[in-house]
Amino acid sequence: MGASNAQTTTSTATAAILLSEWIPVIGLIFGGCCSNVFALESLVREVPKCGNLITFGQFAFITLVGLPSHVHLGWVPRLKPRRVPIQRWMVMVTLYFCVSVLNNLALGYNISIPLHIVFRSSGLIANMVCGYFVMNKRYPRMQALAVVMVTIGVVMATLSSVHGTHEHGLMRDSVIGIGLLSLGVVFAALLGLYQEQTYLKYGKHWREGLFYNHMLALPMFLFFYKDIGHQIQALSQSQSVNLGELPLVGALLGENKISVPYLWISLLVNVLSQWACASGVHQMTSMSSSLTLNVVLNLRKLVSLVISVLLFQNPVTPGMMAGCMLVFAGTFAYSKFRPVVAVSKKLE
């Protein structure tokens, strides 16, 4: 009896510890990522091609937050010792940068937020193809069937979204946007495989990954400095709002009146929520399997899709709705099975 009570107590304590770790992470992912979608749509509705500025703001802020933990701040700043070789981070940074830039650029080419969410939920297709050829993984038939469901869903949602676009210019933009999203999905799959191999070899150091994935990418924005300059001007020309009228902020400012363009407030919300979202995703990567992470992220995307439709009245045709259902149903079916590795391969 005593041993049984002790075992029950231990199980209860373990469950409490797990809950105390998981609840904050789930809160960061759902709260941060869903808020991020809200702020993102506010921005792209006014300035459709502001993706480079959004991405730069996110990367710069997350880098600043991580500086004290990963850099010795003295007269001559220097990096603290790393647990993962910097060459590994460079490869992941390049892939991560490409994914972020492609996804944000696509929004400037007649891509709605619902279609954007559905496309980003279709990574299972690229994951399976890359896993088969690069990692030599073999998949159960039911898992392959799940990916077929996801593929059909994405095709249905895409065709439904483009079907109502009759103008030549808008049709061309839609094709470009879909091409950018497709490239982003492929790069994201390669990033996931390389990240998996890195964490298996060196351990799951999510804070280090969060910092280096953003810090090392900052010089790459020099290629887009002209676009970022034009986007800064566009945001600065938006209507000004008095910060004193905003909740909580007004109490801090008192009688001081400070006006700023409202799109800059949207950008700030987007950057802060992206930091929360990225922190939650990187932390969950170190706590769970890739399948668990995939299911949680797709649940989050489903919530984001509902928010986008309800708050911004984005048109959702029956074809797009059916495609969404197939994508999410296929994702959950995929998570029920595990692939096997026939011959061990590593993505070096």
Side-chain angles (χ1 to χ4, degrees), residues 184-257:
V185 168
V186 174
F187 281 126
L190 292 173
L191 172 62
L193 290 172
Y194 195 81
Q195 191 175 45
E196 181 181 336
Q197 288 296 314
T198 299
Y199 284 161
L200 283 173
K201 186 173 182 179
Y202 298 100
K204 297 183 177 182
H205 307 290
W206 70 270
R207 288 186 178 85
E208 187 174 303
L210 181 66
F211 174 73
Y212 281 99
N213 278 341
H214 292 83
M215 185 271 289
L216 293 175
L218 289 178
M220 300 180 187
F221 287 99
L222 291 174
F223 295 107
F224 306 107
Y225 76 95
K226 288 185 178 180
D227 285 341
I228 292 175
H230 294 318
Q231 292 159 15
I232 289 174
Q233 292 177 2
L235 263 65
S236 300
Q237 292 171 1
S238 62
Q239 183 179 355
S240 296
V241 296
N242 183 7
L243 292 180
E245 298 176 356
L246 298 178
L248 300 178
V249 180
L252 295 175
L253 294 178
E255 297 182 356
N256 297 322
K257 293 185 178 180

Side-chain angles (χ1 to χ4, degrees), residues 114-125 144-162 178 298 305 316-331:
L115 180 60
H116 192 268
I117 293 171
V118 172
F119 234 95
R120 293 187 66 182
S121 302
S122 66
L124 295 179
I125 307 166
L145 179 61
V147 171
V148 171
M149 289 174 60
V150 173
T151 305
I152 295 174
V154 171
V155 172
M156 288 178 61
T158 303
L159 292 178
S160 177
S161 176
V162 178
I178 291 169
N298 275 282
L305 179 63
V316 178
T317 63
M320 181 177 287
M321 183 60 67
C324 292
M325 292 174 65
L326 279 174
V327 168
F328 291 114
T331 298

